[in-house]
Amino acid sequence: MDERLIRIDYGTAFPGLDPEREIGSVKELLLSSSGKIREGAREGKEGFGWFNLPEADTGPVWRHAEWLRSFDTVIQTGIGGSALGNQMLSRALTHPYYNELTAEERGGPRFYVADNADPESVSSILEMTDPSRTAFIVASKSGATAETMANFLFSLDFLGRNGVEDPASNIIVITDPQKGALRTFAEETGCRVMSVPGNVGGRYSVLSPVGLLSAASQGADIQAILRGASAMKKQISGTEGKTGNPAWVIAAASMRNYLAGRNMVVLMPYSDRLEAFSEWFCQLWAESLGKDGRGSTPVRALGAIDQHSQVQLYAEGPDDKLYIFITVEERAEVIIPEPQLKSLESLSYLGGKGMGEMLGLEAMSTAAALIKANRPVMGISVPSVDAFRLGGLIFLFEYATAIAGIAQGIDPFDQPGVEQGKRYTYGLMQRPGFGKYAEEAREISSFSRRNSIII
């Protein structure tokens, strides 16, 4: 088996500067940060548990996944880290139109994610399901996230109203090992339950049951995902202090370009299967590093689609972005037919070429155009989009994010800005103990409406 994980080209990630010197300039910071990651994981410190997930026992996940596979439909109820990772794994590792296949073709249940608290969306999902043949994965570490718990209560009621005698028998919760509403719900009802490791934060939880359970229910090889993550972990750990460390290269490029005024990071995969990977990356990067007036803004892009919507800005707009391209060496290929009509002769240059080949050449062309414009560009190439390589990519970006944060004196594992918004929501929704936040939120909102235009 081809055990190659990735290739990173970073020679143009520091325009006009020597890449090795730039990486070397933050070497001591990165070395110290690497030590803190290993120490935090070894001691079980809050936030560091993701580092140990590649070695986790998948037996419990497989057992619950087999139960889920007995249903026609599985709905993941969660938001943020309890949804984006699930969408990323599903999009990368299953058929692009998985839910539209027959049950025999799928080999597993249909899969949906109920994340946003939009009544039209969650109602539409439930309208398409047979309640008795539908299972719910409810994922919230705190068991208090308002959007998730609202969707959970709605789904629980949906099961009861539609003749499911024991609604809890269609539910598995993934939550804190000891506390929270979902933990007490499981104790009261006897529903299935799995734990999020106590020292793993939501946006770093995709390699835990939070992400792996839904993927396994769809038939994904979760053992290969963890094996890829473990291989990447070994590569990173074995090349500390060396230019062959892929996480160091990403972290150093983001840090040095940030200091040069480039406060955005564009992740642009040239593969539809990796589109949701960019969505997952954006939460990981933004929520981990955007603190204390610092942090680079992550931008989602998809090649070649965004060549036609964003690259004009990238090439000739403000020089405020670092670009990371992800390309795929091998994919299912389609040969473009030779045009047969005289009116289409001008398209003959496309005939006989592979469509995937064209996508790869478009990535090269876009990167070349940006490099010519003196923009910082880094290229990541994967042999294929499969469970092994995806696991490697996940761990790589988790590590690069964590080490970049620690090296810059940022705690990459908390989210105080998010928590403030949650407190306002709890107060406005009249959760006991949060009344003062409701008053503050109304006052701020009232001030913001003093200057309005009504048409």
Side-chain angles (χ1 to χ4, degrees):
M1 176 184 173
D2 183 355
E3 292 289 320
R4 291 178 302 144
L5 279 167
I6 61 168
R7 168 178 170 165
I8 296 186
D9 299 308
Y10 60 94
T12 54
F14 308 88
L17 301 171
D18 177 70
E20 307 305 333
R21 181 177 297 173
E22 291 303 300
I23 297 172
S25 70
V26 291
K27 178 178 177 180
E28 294 306 316
L29 277 174
L30 295 177
L31 267 175
S32 173
S33 302
S34 293
K36 290 177 181 178
I37 289 175
R38 290 195 308 273
E39 177 187 351
R42 185 171 58 250
E43 296 180 359
K45 290 183 179 178
E46 181 68 27
F48 289 87
W50 59 273
F51 187 78
N52 297 322
L53 290 177
E55 289 75 46
D57 176 18
T58 58
V61 175
W62 284 118
R63 288 193 291 274
H64 289 298
E66 282 302 308
W67 169 73
L68 288 171
R69 289 170 65 81
S70 68
F71 289 87
D72 294 335
T73 303
V74 169
I75 300 174
Q76 175 94 11
T77 302
I79 200 167
S82 298
L84 291 171
N86 306 84
Q87 293 167 325
M88 178 255 290
L89 293 177
S90 179
R91 186 71 178 90
L93 301 178
T94 67
H95 190 283
Y97 302 99
Y98 174 86
N99 283 345
E100 297 180 29
L101 302 176
T102 66
E104 290 73 25
E105 290 169 332
R106 288 194 310 269
R110 293 185 301 163
F111 178 66
Y112 298 96
V113 174
D115 49 3
N116 205 13
D118 186 320
E120 292 184 355
S121 296
V122 67
S123 297
S124 297
I125 294 174
L126 296 179
E127 286 170 1
M128 296 188 296
T129 67
D130 174 355
S132 65
R133 302 290 305 143
T134 300
F136 293 83
I137 304 171
V138 185
S140 171
K141 184 177 179 181
S142 67
T145 307
E147 300 87 351
T148 299
M149 301 314 289
N151 277 327
F152 162 62
L153 291 173
F154 187 71
S155 301
L156 186 65
D157 181 66
F158 165 79
L159 292 172
R161 284 188 291 103
N162 287 277
V164 178
E165 293 185 9
D166 180 13
S169 66
N170 287 41
I171 293 172
I172 179 169
V173 300
I174 306 177
T175 191
D176 186 88
Q178 298 177 332
K179 61 183 185 296
L182 290 179
R183 176 60 60 175
T184 56
F185 169 79
E187 293 170 354
E188 178 184 353
T189 64
C191 79
R192 291 173 179 255
V193 60
M194 298 191 77
S195 296
V196 185
N199 58 352
V200 175
R203 60 187 176 274
Y204 289 87
S205 67
V206 66
L207 297 179
S208 78
V210 172
L212 296 182
L213 180 58
S214 66
S217 76
Q218 296 170 80
D221 187 348
I222 61 172
Q223 198 62 49
I225 294 172
L226 294 186
R227 190 165 55 81
S230 183
M232 181 60 72
K233 177 180 177 179
K234 182 178 180 180
Q235 173 65 23
I236 291 171
S237 299
T239 55
E240 289 186 354
K242 303 175 183 177
T243 55
N245 190 304
W248 280 38
V249 168
I250 295 173
S254 70
M255 292 165 62
R256 299 302 293 167
N257 278 286
Y258 177 77
L259 291 174
R262 300 183 180 103
N263 62 348
M264 300 187 197
V265 176
V266 177
L267 185 65
M268 191 169 185
Y270 274 73
S271 168
D272 285 358
R273 287 188 176 274
L274 293 176
E275 180 178 13
F277 186 88
S278 290
E279 298 279 347
W280 170 82
F281 160 77
C282 280
Q283 186 206 5
L284 175 71
W285 193 264
E287 203 168 76
S288 297
L289 303 182
K291 291 157 193 173
D292 302 323
R294 294 174 291 172
S296 51
T297 301
V299 178
R300 314 167 182 86
L302 179 66
I305 290 172
D306 287 311
Q307 289 174 205
H308 300 272
S309 66
Q310 296 183 36
V311 168
Q312 172 61 40
L313 172 69
Y314 296 168
E316 297 187 358
D319 183 13
D320 57 1
K321 304 171 188 68
L322 165 66
Y323 303 91
I324 303 177
F325 286 67
I326 303 180
T327 56
V328 181
E329 296 174 15
E330 300 175 6
R331 65 180 93 215
E333 188 59 285
V334 172
I335 302 302
I336 304 170
E338 298 280 355
Q340 300 299 315
L341 300 174
K342 185 178 177 69
S343 60
L344 301 179
E345 282 184 357
S346 63
L347 305 179
S348 60
Y349 76 98
L350 294 172
K353 307 289 197 329
M355 195 174 292
E357 173 191 7
M358 183 175 74
L359 196 59
L361 293 175
E362 291 200 80
M364 183 187 299
S365 301
T366 303
L370 293 176
I371 293 167
K372 184 176 181 180
N374 209 35
R375 302 307 199 235
V377 176
M378 178 185 300
I380 297 177
S381 173
V382 295
S384 62
V385 179
D386 55 28
F388 178 71
R389 275 61 179 236
L390 187 63
L393 280 174
I394 289 168
F395 192 87
L396 169 62
F397 277 89
E398 288 180 339
Y399 197 103
T401 302
I403 197 174
I406 295 171
Q408 296 173 88
I410 297 169
D411 183 347
F413 306 125
D414 68 357
Q415 51 278 333
V418 176
E419 295 304 322
Q420 183 61 63
K422 286 183 177 181
R423 287 189 285 269
Y424 286 151
T425 298
Y426 292 150
L428 292 170
M429 292 295 290
Q430 300 180 348
R431 180 178 176 180
F434 289 83
K436 67 176 182 179
Y437 297 108
E439 295 175 11
E440 186 175 312
R442 289 192 179 95
E443 182 179 347
I444 293 171
S445 296
S446 174
F447 180 81
S448 72
R449 290 196 295 271
R450 289 181 184 177
N451 297 88
S452 302
I453 298 174
I454 301 176
I455 299 174

